[in-house]
Every structure is written in C-alpha cells, then in structure tokens.
Amino acid sequence: MNKSLFDVKMWVKDMQQGKRIALARIITKIENRDVEVPELMKEIFPLTGKAEVLGVTGPPGAGKSTLVDQLIYASRAEGKKVAVIAVDPSSPFSGGAILGDRIRMQRHYGDTGVYIRSLGTRGKHGGLSHSTKEAVMALDAAGFDRIIVETAGVGQTELAILKLAQTVLVVLVPESGDSIQVMKAGLMEIADLFVVNKSDRPAADQLVRELVVMVGMNSDHEAKWSVPVLKTEAVKSVGIDAVMKSLSEHQSYLDESHLRNQKRTSFLSEEIEDILLEKFTQKIKESLSSKKGKEILSDLTSGKITPYDASGLIFKI
Ligand SMILES: Nc1nc2c(ncn2[C@@H]2O[C@H](COP(=O)(O)OP(=O)(O)OP(=O)(O)O)[C@@H](O)[C@H]2O)c(=O)[nH]1
Ligand SMILES: [Mg+2]
C-alpha cells in the first residue's frame, strides 16, 4: 500500500466543511509550493469564483490592520464570512513579522466566520504573488464570502499582488502627506477607493483635498466609477460605515460594468503565467543538472559555444 497520508480529496472536503486544520494545512502547502499543489488546485478550482476579493495597501503603519479589523467586524454584522491574508514580502517566515496583525485582530478569535492568516516568502523566490492567488482560491472554495488581502508597503511585489483584488483600497495618513508619493508609487492607477486614516490628526483635510484634486485629474471623463476619498479614524471606528458603503458600491459597479468578468479573466491569466513560469523554472533547473546539461555547460566554459547557443541547446533537452 502506497497511499499518501495527505488525501487531497478528503482534505478539500474537510476544508469545505469548515475544518480549520484542513484549511491551514492546505494554505501551508500552497505557501511552500508543495508537490501536491497542482492536485489540490484541481479540486479547489471548480469551487471558486464566488468570493468578493478586496486588497488593502498603503505605507507601513498607516493603520491598514486596524482598518481591516473594523471591516471584519462590519462584515460579520452583515452576516458575511471573512478571511484575511496579511502578505509580507520582506518576511521569509509566515506568522513572524505579522504577529502584530494577529494580535490586533484577535478579538475575532473563536469566531468560526473569521479566518486570519499571514503569508511570507517561504518556499521559492518570486512565488509570493502566486501563493497569494492560490490561497485566495482556497479561501473562496472554503466558503468565505469576503477575502481581504493586506499587503505591507507599496513596492512592486505588493502592487503585483494587488492585481488579484477586485476592489483596491489605499490607506494613507496625514503625515505621509506627500501625495506626490502616491503618484510615484503608482497608487493612483490601482486605487478604487482612498482612505485617509488617522483623521484625528491635523492635515487630514488637507490630504483629502489634495487627493480629490489628483483623482479628478487622473479620471477619464468616460469613467463610470469616480474614486471616493474617505476619512477614517480606524482605532475609534469612525468613518467605517462610509467605507463599507463605498466597497459595496464598487462591487455593484463591477457587475453593472461587466468588469467582474474581466477581472476574473485577468486573475486566471496571471495564474496560468505563474504556473508556466514555475514549470519552466523547474524544467530549466533539471535540464542544467542533467548529463547533457553538464556537457553543454562544459562547452560553454571552454568557449566552444556562447551563452545564447547554450540556452538554445538547454531549451531542446
Ligand atoms: N491616532 C490614530 N492612530 C491609529 C489610527 N488607526 C490606527 N492607529 C495606530 O497606528 C498604529 C499602526 O496601525 P496598524 O493597523 O498596525 O498599521 P498597518 O498599516 O497595518 O501597519 P503595517 O502592517 O506594519 O504596515 C497602531 O498603533 C494603531 O493603533 C487612527 O485612526 N488614529
Ligand atoms: Mg498591518
């Protein structure tokens, strides 16, 4: 008998029935880019496509997790099941750097309608955006109605990750004031909603005004969605209702404008790209370490062929 201890079908079924251990184990396999992932995703994929996926980003310390905590609370009041993935590209370990987030959101502990998980760059380099996409699919299949992806920071990796969201919420704070940064970081292009948090601080209104002007300059007149700029004081739960309202309006807009389908297509197209890249990378590594690969490398080192010749030959193995 050579049956794997990890019965993919059974774990996915358990996950669908709400068993936390199954969900956690599946996401860990995804995070580690385990060999069973393709088989897992085959079971998971047909169960996806129902969840609302929100992305939350902004500079470090802007209050993203505090706001997400409020969004969880408000979503629960609507009867929705919510999952949060806190992504930290700078962390090689999940759970470590983002431990603070778990503590911040721990009032939901014991609520079976809430699941919070961190993802770091464990496993192979560059796979974080791929892992996040598949973790979102797993949570969707597990029956969460709303999935919130919080990314720490506004670098290229974070922006790439946010492509998977249907609605992107950018959180800024008065002291990060320089709205020029917003332009530079490419946030204007991805924001569906701006939130100026810590509005208890001076200069919040100033930042709101600047953002409104920038949104106005950036929006094309044909656009049916005008990006709202809202003020919150997340620690005190101020302004959350308006954020929830805008999020729901954006979701309706996605349906009315048929953008939801378009977003799903681009999500899946990126997933294919990631799968192929992963396969190619693996294949190239195998080819390079094969007998033939070593001969090619030796010819390259001795100057008989060029790196481009070598690549062509490796490609044909
Ligand atoms: N004054 C004030 N402080 C706030 C507000 N919202 C959050 N904070 C505080 O700001 C700090 C950072 O909040 P977090 O929610 O951890 O911010 P974050 O953006 O998730 O931080 P990273 O994930 O580390 O980038 C905490 O000490 C919060 O209590 C607010 O509306 N007003
Ligand atoms: Mg945070």
Side-chain angles (χ1 to χ4, degrees):
M1 219 173 88
N2 192 19
K3 198 168 179 304
S4 160
L5 279 177
F6 186 82
D7 181 335
V8 169
K9 281 199 167 71
M10 191 189 80
W11 281 90
V12 172
K13 194 161 257 162
D14 282 356
M15 179 188 81
Q16 275 189 281
Q17 286 166 355
K19 289 195 184 149
R20 289 300 164 110
I21 185 150
L23 175 60
R25 197 165 170 197
I26 285 172
I27 296 183
T28 300
K29 284 194 176 281
I30 289 172
E31 186 181 29
N32 291 339
R33 310 306 313 150
D34 197 286
V35 288
E36 279 148 326
V37 168
E39 222 185 311
L40 260 175
M41 294 316 294
K42 247 180 218 170
E43 295 297 316
I44 287 173
F45 180 71
L47 308 168
T48 65
K50 293 184 284 290
E52 200 174 283
V53 187
L54 312 179
V56 175
T57 193
K64 298 179 292 294
S65 301
T66 313
L67 182 70
V68 168
D69 174 66
Q70 297 286 0
L71 297 181
I72 297 174
Y73 198 75
S75 305
R76 292 302 288 144
E78 290 178 348
K80 292 198 163 119
K81 289 172 79 187
V82 200
V84 177
I85 305 178
V87 189
D88 187 356
S90 62
S91 168
F93 305 105
S94 59
I98 317 190
L99 196 60
D101 284 336
R102 292 228 185 115
I103 293 164
R104 211 151 286 135
M105 298 177 197
Q106 79 181 0
R107 66 170 161 156
H108 307 288
Y109 187 78
D111 179 351
T112 52
V114 177
Y115 183 78
I116 299 169
R117 167 82 189 218
S118 328
L119 281 186
T121 29
R122 237 199 289 173
K124 288 173 198 85
H125 177 73
L128 189 53
S129 152
H130 191 190
S131 302
T132 310
K133 234 177 274 125
E134 293 183 341
V136 164
M137 289 199 230
L139 291 165
D140 187 352
F144 288 93
D145 305 296
R146 183 168 280 154
I147 301 164
I148 306 178
V149 179
E150 176 189 333
T151 63
V154 288
Q156 288 313 308
T157 322
E158 291 86 347
L159 293 189
I161 289 168
L162 284 169
K163 280 206 214 151
L164 61 78
Q166 298 156 352
T167 303
V168 174
L169 199 152
V170 175
V171 186
L172 299 167
V173 274
E175 62 264 40
S176 77
D178 41 354
S179 22
I180 303 284
Q181 279 304 108
V182 173
M183 290 291 210
K184 272 205 211 141
L187 292 176
M188 204 36 103
E189 284 69 36
I190 59 155
D192 295 305
L193 181 64
F194 278 110
V195 172
V196 173
N197 190 39
K198 305 197 186 179
S199 60
D200 47 316
R201 300 202 169 159
D205 288 329
Q206 170 71 22
L207 177 58
V208 169
R209 278 195 297 274
E210 283 171 20
L211 287 169
V212 168
V213 170
M214 285 166 68
V215 165
M217 289 192 314
N218 198 57
S219 71
D220 98 48
H221 292 293
E222 305 286 300
K224 291 191 183 73
W225 177 254
S226 62
V227 178
V229 182
L230 304 171
K231 272 201 304 187
T232 59
E233 192 183 342
V235 268
K236 287 201 185 142
S237 190
V238 175
I240 307 303
D241 289 351
V243 175
M244 289 294 288
K245 188 163 170 277
S246 284
L247 288 176
S248 126
E249 282 168 359
H250 187 258
Q251 286 287 319
S252 310
Y253 161 75
L254 290 179
D255 289 323
E256 287 153 17
S257 60
H258 307 291
L259 266 177
R260 189 183 299 282
N261 242 341
Q262 225 170 298
K263 294 214 174 213
R264 173 118 179 114
T265 307
S266 86
F267 176 99
L268 294 174
S269 138
E270 297 241 347
E271 168 72 358
I272 295 176
E273 226 175 275
D274 284 341
I275 293 171
L276 288 173
L277 275 174
E278 196 172 52
K279 276 196 174 163
F280 273 128
T281 311
Q282 186 58 33
K283 171 88 175 62
I284 290 166
K285 275 193 191 139
E286 280 166 18
S287 300
L288 278 171
S289 56
S290 70
K291 189 166 170 277
K292 183 93 181 83
K294 286 194 178 122
E295 284 166 21
I296 294 169
L297 276 175
S298 150
D299 285 351
L300 174 63
T301 313
S302 62
K304 275 193 209 139
I305 55 173
T306 72
Y308 278 91
D309 297 330
S311 316
L313 291 168
I314 291 285
F315 202 71
K316 284 186 200 139
I317 291 181

Short mmCIF file of all heavy atoms in Angstrom, two decimals, residues 58-67 98 100-101 104 150-153 171 197-201 232-236, ligand 1:
data_model
loop_
_atom_site.label_atom_id
_atom_site.label_comp_id
_atom_site.label_asym_id
_atom_site.label_seq_id
_atom_site.Cartn_x
_atom_site.Cartn_y
_atom_site.Cartn_z
N GLY A 58 -1.01 50.43 1.48
CA GLY A 58 -0.68 51.76 1.99
C GLY A 58 0.64 51.69 2.71
O GLY A 58 1.17 50.61 2.95
N PRO A 59 1.21 52.85 3.07
CA PRO A 59 2.53 52.86 3.71
C PRO A 59 2.53 52.14 5.07
O PRO A 59 1.46 52.02 5.69
CB PRO A 59 2.84 54.34 3.89
CG PRO A 59 1.64 55.10 3.50
CD PRO A 59 0.66 54.19 2.86
N PRO A 60 3.69 51.68 5.51
CA PRO A 60 3.77 51.00 6.80
C PRO A 60 3.20 51.86 7.92
O PRO A 60 3.44 53.07 7.96
CB PRO A 60 5.27 50.78 7.01
CG PRO A 60 5.86 50.85 5.65
CD PRO A 60 4.98 51.77 4.84
N GLY A 61 2.43 51.25 8.78
CA GLY A 61 1.91 51.94 9.95
C GLY A 61 0.73 52.87 9.69
O GLY A 61 0.32 53.62 10.57
N ALA A 62 0.17 52.82 8.48
CA ALA A 62 -0.93 53.73 8.15
C ALA A 62 -2.22 53.38 8.88
O ALA A 62 -3.16 54.18 8.93
CB ALA A 62 -1.16 53.73 6.64
N GLY A 63 -2.24 52.15 9.42
CA GLY A 63 -3.46 51.73 10.12
C GLY A 63 -4.27 50.72 9.30
O GLY A 63 -5.46 50.54 9.52
N LYS A 64 -3.59 50.04 8.37
CA LYS A 64 -4.27 49.06 7.50
C LYS A 64 -4.92 47.94 8.32
O LYS A 64 -6.09 47.64 8.14
CB LYS A 64 -3.28 48.46 6.48
CG LYS A 64 -2.67 49.48 5.54
CD LYS A 64 -1.69 48.85 4.57
CE LYS A 64 -0.42 48.31 5.21
NZ LYS A 64 0.46 49.33 5.79
N SER A 65 -4.13 47.36 9.23
CA SER A 65 -4.66 46.23 10.01
C SER A 65 -5.79 46.68 10.93
O SER A 65 -6.76 45.94 11.13
CB SER A 65 -3.55 45.58 10.82
OG SER A 65 -2.54 45.13 9.96
N THR A 66 -5.66 47.89 11.47
CA THR A 66 -6.71 48.40 12.35
C THR A 66 -8.00 48.57 11.54
O THR A 66 -9.08 48.22 11.99
CB THR A 66 -6.28 49.76 12.96
OG1 THR A 66 -4.93 49.64 13.44
CG2 THR A 66 -7.18 50.17 14.11
N LEU A 67 -7.84 49.07 10.32
CA LEU A 67 -9.00 49.26 9.45
C LEU A 67 -9.58 47.90 9.04
O LEU A 67 -10.80 47.71 9.06
CB LEU A 67 -8.58 50.06 8.21
CG LEU A 67 -9.70 50.37 7.24
CD1 LEU A 67 -10.68 51.38 7.82
CD2 LEU A 67 -9.16 50.91 5.92
N ILE A 98 4.32 39.46 11.10
CA ILE A 98 2.96 40.00 11.09
C ILE A 98 2.21 39.56 12.33
O ILE A 98 1.01 39.69 12.40
CB ILE A 98 2.26 39.59 9.79
CG1 ILE A 98 3.23 39.77 8.62
CG2 ILE A 98 1.06 40.47 9.53
CD1 ILE A 98 2.66 39.64 7.28
N GLY A 100 1.96 40.97 14.98
CA GLY A 100 1.23 42.13 15.49
C GLY A 100 -0.17 42.20 14.91
O GLY A 100 -1.12 42.56 15.61
N ASP A 101 -0.30 41.84 13.64
CA ASP A 101 -1.61 41.88 12.99
C ASP A 101 -2.56 40.91 13.65
O ASP A 101 -3.73 41.19 13.85
CB ASP A 101 -1.48 41.50 11.51
CG ASP A 101 -0.90 42.65 10.72
OD1 ASP A 101 -1.04 43.78 11.18
OD2 ASP A 101 -0.31 42.39 9.66
N ARG A 104 -3.65 42.36 16.83
CA ARG A 104 -4.57 43.47 16.58
C ARG A 104 -5.97 42.96 16.24
O ARG A 104 -6.95 43.61 16.50
CB ARG A 104 -4.02 44.32 15.43
CG ARG A 104 -4.37 45.77 15.52
CD ARG A 104 -3.33 46.63 14.87
NE ARG A 104 -2.13 46.73 15.67
CZ ARG A 104 -0.91 46.61 15.20
NH1 ARG A 104 -0.71 46.36 13.93
NH2 ARG A 104 0.11 46.72 15.99
N GLU A 150 -4.22 42.06 2.81
CA GLU A 150 -3.49 43.25 3.26
C GLU A 150 -2.02 43.09 2.89
O GLU A 150 -1.40 42.09 3.21
CB GLU A 150 -3.60 43.43 4.78
CG GLU A 150 -2.75 44.62 5.26
CD GLU A 150 -2.63 44.76 6.79
OE1 GLU A 150 -3.52 44.31 7.51
OE2 GLU A 150 -1.61 45.33 7.23
N THR A 151 -1.47 44.06 2.16
CA THR A 151 -0.04 43.99 1.86
C THR A 151 0.67 45.08 2.63
O THR A 151 0.18 46.20 2.74
CB THR A 151 0.26 44.17 0.36
OG1 THR A 151 -0.14 45.47 -0.03
CG2 THR A 151 -0.46 43.15 -0.49
N ALA A 152 1.84 44.74 3.17
CA ALA A 152 2.60 45.70 3.96
C ALA A 152 3.52 46.46 3.03
O ALA A 152 4.51 45.93 2.58
CB ALA A 152 3.39 44.98 5.03
N GLY A 153 3.19 47.70 2.74
CA GLY A 153 4.08 48.51 1.91
C GLY A 153 3.55 48.72 0.51
O GLY A 153 2.50 48.19 0.13
N VAL A 171 -4.82 53.02 1.78
CA VAL A 171 -4.89 53.74 3.06
C VAL A 171 -3.70 54.68 3.19
O VAL A 171 -2.55 54.26 3.06
CB VAL A 171 -4.87 52.75 4.25
CG1 VAL A 171 -5.08 53.49 5.58
CG2 VAL A 171 -5.92 51.67 4.08
N ASN A 197 -6.67 57.73 6.79
CA ASN A 197 -6.86 57.27 8.17
C ASN A 197 -6.15 58.23 9.14
O ASN A 197 -5.43 59.11 8.70
CB ASN A 197 -6.33 55.84 8.31
CG ASN A 197 -6.70 55.22 9.64
OD1 ASN A 197 -7.81 55.41 10.14
ND2 ASN A 197 -5.77 54.49 10.23
N LYS A 198 -6.34 58.01 10.42
CA LYS A 198 -5.81 58.88 11.47
C LYS A 198 -6.28 60.31 11.24
O LYS A 198 -5.51 61.28 11.33
CB LYS A 198 -4.26 58.82 11.52
CG LYS A 198 -3.74 57.39 11.68
CD LYS A 198 -2.30 57.30 12.12
CE LYS A 198 -1.85 55.83 12.11
NZ LYS A 198 -0.47 55.63 12.50
N SER A 199 -7.55 60.41 10.92
CA SER A 199 -8.12 61.73 10.60
C SER A 199 -8.25 62.58 11.85
O SER A 199 -8.67 63.73 11.78
CB SER A 199 -9.47 61.57 9.91
OG SER A 199 -10.35 60.88 10.76
N ASP A 200 -7.89 62.00 13.00
CA ASP A 200 -7.84 62.80 14.23
C ASP A 200 -6.63 63.73 14.21
O ASP A 200 -6.53 64.67 15.00
CB ASP A 200 -7.76 61.87 15.47
CG ASP A 200 -6.71 60.76 15.31
OD1 ASP A 200 -6.66 60.16 14.22
OD2 ASP A 200 -5.94 60.51 16.27
N ARG A 201 -5.72 63.47 13.27
CA ARG A 201 -4.51 64.31 13.21
C ARG A 201 -4.72 65.52 12.31
O ARG A 201 -5.49 65.45 11.35
CB ARG A 201 -3.35 63.48 12.67
CG ARG A 201 -3.10 62.29 13.58
CD ARG A 201 -1.73 61.77 13.43
NE ARG A 201 -1.46 60.82 14.49
CZ ARG A 201 -0.53 59.91 14.44
NH1 ARG A 201 0.25 59.82 13.38
NH2 ARG A 201 -0.34 59.09 15.45
N THR A 232 -11.16 58.27 7.83
CA THR A 232 -11.49 57.37 8.94
C THR A 232 -10.58 57.64 10.14
O THR A 232 -9.50 58.22 10.00
CB THR A 232 -11.27 55.87 8.58
OG1 THR A 232 -9.90 55.68 8.21
CG2 THR A 232 -12.19 55.41 7.47
N GLU A 233 -11.07 57.19 11.29
CA GLU A 233 -10.22 57.10 12.47
C GLU A 233 -10.43 55.67 12.94
O GLU A 233 -11.30 55.39 13.77
CB GLU A 233 -10.66 58.13 13.51
CG GLU A 233 -9.65 58.31 14.62
CD GLU A 233 -10.13 59.29 15.69
OE1 GLU A 233 -11.06 60.08 15.44
OE2 GLU A 233 -9.57 59.23 16.80
N ALA A 234 -9.64 54.78 12.33
CA ALA A 234 -9.91 53.35 12.48
C ALA A 234 -9.90 52.89 13.94
O ALA A 234 -10.73 52.07 14.33
CB ALA A 234 -8.91 52.54 11.66
N VAL A 235 -8.98 53.42 14.75
CA VAL A 235 -8.93 52.98 16.16
C VAL A 235 -10.24 53.24 16.89
O VAL A 235 -10.56 52.54 17.85
CB VAL A 235 -7.80 53.65 16.99
CG1 VAL A 235 -6.56 52.82 16.98
CG2 VAL A 235 -7.55 55.07 16.55
N LYS A 236 -10.96 54.27 16.44
CA LYS A 236 -12.21 54.60 17.14
C LYS A 236 -13.44 54.21 16.32
O LYS A 236 -14.56 54.63 16.62
CB LYS A 236 -12.24 56.10 17.45
CG LYS A 236 -11.29 56.49 18.56
CD LYS A 236 -11.72 57.81 19.18
CE LYS A 236 -10.71 58.27 20.20
NZ LYS A 236 -10.54 59.73 20.15
N1 LIG B 1 -4.14 58.22 16.07
C1 LIG B 1 -4.56 57.16 15.40
N2 LIG B 1 -3.82 56.04 15.42
C2 LIG B 1 -4.24 54.99 14.69
C3 LIG B 1 -5.42 55.02 13.90
N3 LIG B 1 -5.56 53.84 13.27
C4 LIG B 1 -4.51 53.08 13.65
N4 LIG B 1 -3.72 53.75 14.51
C5 LIG B 1 -2.49 53.28 15.16
O1 LIG B 1 -1.43 53.22 14.21
C6 LIG B 1 -0.55 52.15 14.52
C7 LIG B 1 -0.33 51.28 13.29
O2 LIG B 1 -1.54 50.62 12.99
P1 LIG B 1 -1.61 49.30 12.12
O3 LIG B 1 -3.06 48.99 11.96
O4 LIG B 1 -0.73 48.25 12.66
O5 LIG B 1 -0.99 49.81 10.76
P2 LIG B 1 -0.56 48.95 9.47
O6 LIG B 1 -0.73 49.85 8.32
O7 LIG B 1 -1.31 47.66 9.44
O8 LIG B 1 0.96 48.66 9.76
P3 LIG B 1 1.94 47.65 8.97
O9 LIG B 1 1.15 46.41 8.70
O10 LIG B 1 3.05 47.43 9.93
O11 LIG B 1 2.36 48.36 7.74
C8 LIG B 1 -1.16 51.42 15.70
O12 LIG B 1 -0.53 51.83 16.86
C9 LIG B 1 -2.61 51.84 15.66
O13 LIG B 1 -3.22 51.82 16.93
C10 LIG B 1 -6.19 56.25 13.92
O14 LIG B 1 -7.23 56.37 13.25
N5 LIG B 1 -5.70 57.27 14.67
#
